Amino acid sequence: DTAVSQTPKYLVTQMGNDKSIKCEQNLGHDTMYWYKQDSKKFLKIMFSYNNKELIINETVPNRFSPKSPDKAHLNLHINSLELGDSAVYFCASSPFDNEQFFGPGTRLTVL
Amino acid sequence: AQKITQTQPGMFVQEKEAVTLDCTYDTSDQSYGLFWYKQPSSGEMIFLIYQGSYDEQNATEGRYSLNFQKARKSANLVISASQLGDSAMYFCAMRESGGSNYKLTFGKGTLLTVNP
């Protein structure tokens, strides 16, 4: 029944490792997003895909690479993790230009 | 310049009273949308209410209403009859037009505490 799901919910890893976060939506939406929420709760768009095509890439280090195998999935792969990557990462989806539905978030802690 | 400004880092309200959370925005687009989201301490982002720039009437959803003043570029959230469960972080966000660019730009949020 979950509309937008993310795995894992928590991710603790060492600096320098590579990790992935998966996102799936069962709402039939065309557009999916990745947002980063920092320790001060500020939310910022990272990427957006529309029908598997990248449409937004907001000055994110190229260590971050999104991949959309199909319209329902948008994964985020992060190479060479740094301390500053610690944050909560939210996936979201939306139909056309309406409200965005957010996943539960993935709390990433880099040690 | 910030596109979304929420000037109240924290707000307190007594249970059953109404509270207004401020939001001003900056855009040169004619077509845009304004959203409010709630983030409780559990962390999820919950959509509350939406106002389109061309909507003549203020949006309402249950106890939530959006006081939209276009000329002042403000989109304040009004919560009536506050409940303890309303204690949360509240974010104002804007979606500007521009092809398929549907990203939301968020304000820094207001932490609302409802006192019993």
Side-chain angles (χ1 to χ4, degrees), chain A residues 17-98:
Chain A
N17 284 350
D18 303 338
K19 289 294 178 186
S20 291
I21 306 172
K22 295 187 176 182
C23 178
E24 176 181 1
Q25 55 98 359
N26 61 6
L27 298 167
H29 293 165
D30 288 333
T31 311
M32 295 184 72
Y33 313 79
W34 278 110
Y35 288 87
K36 179 180 179 180
Q37 186 173 42
D38 63 23
S39 58
K40 294 183 178 177
K41 299 286 190 180
F42 186 57
L43 268 157
K44 193 169 178 352
I45 183 78
M46 298 174 70
F47 300 104
S48 175
Y49 271 73
N50 183 265
N51 276 317
K52 301 196 298 173
E53 181 185 344
L54 180 67
I55 56 171
I56 298 173
N57 182 342
E58 288 278 313
T59 58
V60 176
N62 57 16
R63 297 181 296 102
F64 290 79
S65 52
K67 283 191 173 46
S68 181
D70 56 55
K71 214 172 74 163
H73 295 84
L74 180 61
N75 303 324
L76 183 66
H77 188 76
I78 316 169
N79 288 328
S80 304
L81 278 155
E82 300 177 358
L83 293 177
D85 298 332
S86 294
V88 179
Y89 293 84
F90 284 99
C91 176
S93 74
S94 70
F96 193 51
D97 60 352
N98 286 335

Side-chain angles (χ1 to χ4, degrees), chain A residues 33 35 37 41-43 45 55-56 58 90 96-97 99-100 102, chain B residues 35 37 39 43 45 47 89 91 95 100-104 106 108:
Chain A
Y33 313 79
Y35 288 87
Q37 186 173 42
K41 299 286 190 180
F42 186 57
L43 268 157
I45 183 78
I55 56 171
I56 298 173
E58 288 278 313
F90 284 99
F96 193 51
D97 60 352
E99 69 266 21
Q100 295 181 14
F102 282 75
Chain B
F35 302 78
Y37 283 84
Q39 187 176 39
M45 293 287 289
F47 165 74
M89 195 77 165
F91 292 97
R95 184 209 70 236
S100 57
N101 182 347
Y102 300 129
K103 69 176 183 178
L104 292 180
F106 284 86
K108 293 186 176 179

Side-chain angles (χ1 to χ4, degrees), chain B:
Chain B
Q2 284 188 60
K3 292 217 170 192
I4 296 285
T5 303
Q6 293 180 253
T7 56
Q8 308 150 316
M11 286 282 285
F12 293 88
V13 66
Q14 288 297 122
E15 199 178 0
K16 298 179 187 174
E17 291 185 353
V19 63
T20 298
L21 306 184
D22 293 343
C23 173
T24 56
Y25 59 92
D26 181 26
T27 182
S28 55
D29 286 355
Q30 296 301 309
S31 174
Y32 52 90
L34 296 155
F35 302 78
W36 278 92
Y37 283 84
K38 172 185 178 182
Q39 187 176 39
S41 57
S42 50
E44 69 269 31
M45 293 287 289
I46 303 167
F47 165 74
L48 295 178
I49 197 165
Y50 165 77
Q51 179 86 39
S53 57
Y54 292 121
D55 294 342
E56 301 259 329
Q57 300 212 343
N58 287 342
T60 59
E61 288 285 348
R63 294 186 300 110
Y64 303 109
S65 59
L66 200 152
N67 185 357
F68 180 47
Q69 297 188 44
K70 197 168 180 177
R72 292 186 177 184
K73 292 190 175 177
S74 77
N76 299 339
L77 177 71
V78 181
I79 306 174
S80 62
S82 297
Q83 300 171 357
L84 295 178
D86 293 335
S87 292
M89 195 77 165
Y90 288 81
F91 292 97
C92 179
M94 176 173 64
R95 184 209 70 236
E96 296 171 282
S97 62
S100 57
N101 182 347
Y102 300 129
K103 69 176 183 178
L104 292 180
T105 302
F106 284 86
K108 293 186 176 179
T110 295
L111 182 61
L112 176 67
T113 303
V114 180
N115 293 318

